[in-house]
């Protein structure tokens, strides 16, 4: 992994960021940091109105920093661990809150890999105050609340 992994990741994210146009600038730093995770391709996340709406609403809250995360930036090219945020390349384990936006039940299979890379226990009873708060939402959660 190392520097080559980081360089490859930053090369792809810089290319994608340069293709974006923002009407509202988001804050990346705050006393509370949130990683908004779309557990699928960058292109799918960026065309998801629910994901974009949550990002816009949270970015308007004072003292809250929000960054996006996608486990795959390009088709057939999943990211390797360690994982970094899209905006600043901050390690995913550094955030206070990890928010997941699930549109499809097929996205659930990405979660064990993300948890394992961060050393997060799957069961809530095994977590402690040093682990980030986990929040899940989206169409797949609303249609299947027992998942």
């Amino acid at each position: 992994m190392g520097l080559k992994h980081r360089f490859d990741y930053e090369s792809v994210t810089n290319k994608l960021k340069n293709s974006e146009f923002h009407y509202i600038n988001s804050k990346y730093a705050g006393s509370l940091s949130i990683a908004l995770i779309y557990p699928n391709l960058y292109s799918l996340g960026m065309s998801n109105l629910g994901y974009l709406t949550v990002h816009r609403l949270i970015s308007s809250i004072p003292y809250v920093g929000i960054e996006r995360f996608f486990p795959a930036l390009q088709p057939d090219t999943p990211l390797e661990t360690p994982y970094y945020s899209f905006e600043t390349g901050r390690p995913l384990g550094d955030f206070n809150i990890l928010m997941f936006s699930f549109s499809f039940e097929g996205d659930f299979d990405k979660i064990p890999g993300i948890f394992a890379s961060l050393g997060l226990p799957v069961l809530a009873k095994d977590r402690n105050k040093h682990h980030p708060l986990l929040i899940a939402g989206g169409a797949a959660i609303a249609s299947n609340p027992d998942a």
Side-chain angles (χ1 to χ4, degrees):
M1 310 291 157
L3 291 175
K4 180 174 179 356
H5 165 62
R6 181 72 183 220
F7 176 78
D8 292 343
Y9 177 77
E10 288 177 353
S11 297
V12 174
T13 58
N14 286 337
K15 186 172 128 182
L16 292 170
K17 284 190 272 188
N18 289 334
S19 70
E20 294 180 344
F21 180 79
H22 296 267
Y23 291 99
I24 299 171
N25 291 324
S26 298
K27 298 178 303 296
Y28 305 138
S31 55
L32 182 66
S33 61
I34 298 174
L36 183 58
I37 302 166
Y38 190 84
N40 210 314
L41 289 170
Y42 165 85
S43 59
L44 294 176
M46 293 311 296
S47 62
N48 184 292
L49 293 178
Y51 181 81
L52 296 174
T53 300
V54 169
H55 185 268
R56 180 182 53 83
L57 291 172
I58 291 174
S59 67
S60 68
I61 301 171
Y63 309 109
V64 174
I66 186 165
E67 296 190 47
R68 298 171 288 168
F69 171 78
F70 310 94
L73 298 174
Q74 299 172 323
D76 302 321
T77 313
L79 295 179
E80 298 176 20
T81 59
Y83 294 128
Y84 304 106
S85 68
F86 184 78
E87 275 77 18
T88 65
R90 183 177 174 185
L92 196 55
D94 286 355
F95 289 86
N96 302 114
I97 299 174
L98 302 181
M99 295 182 76
F100 295 86
S101 177
F102 295 103
S103 294
F104 310 101
E105 288 180 345
D107 294 340
F108 294 158
D109 67 344
K110 311 286 188 317
I111 300 310
I114 293 171
F115 280 17
S117 71
L118 299 174
L120 287 176
V122 175
L123 300 176
K125 69 178 183 71
D126 297 331
R127 293 191 198 111
N128 61 42
K129 66 180 182 177
H130 302 291
H131 293 120
L133 176 65
L134 304 173
I135 299 173
I141 298 296
S143 66
N144 189 3
D146 294 331

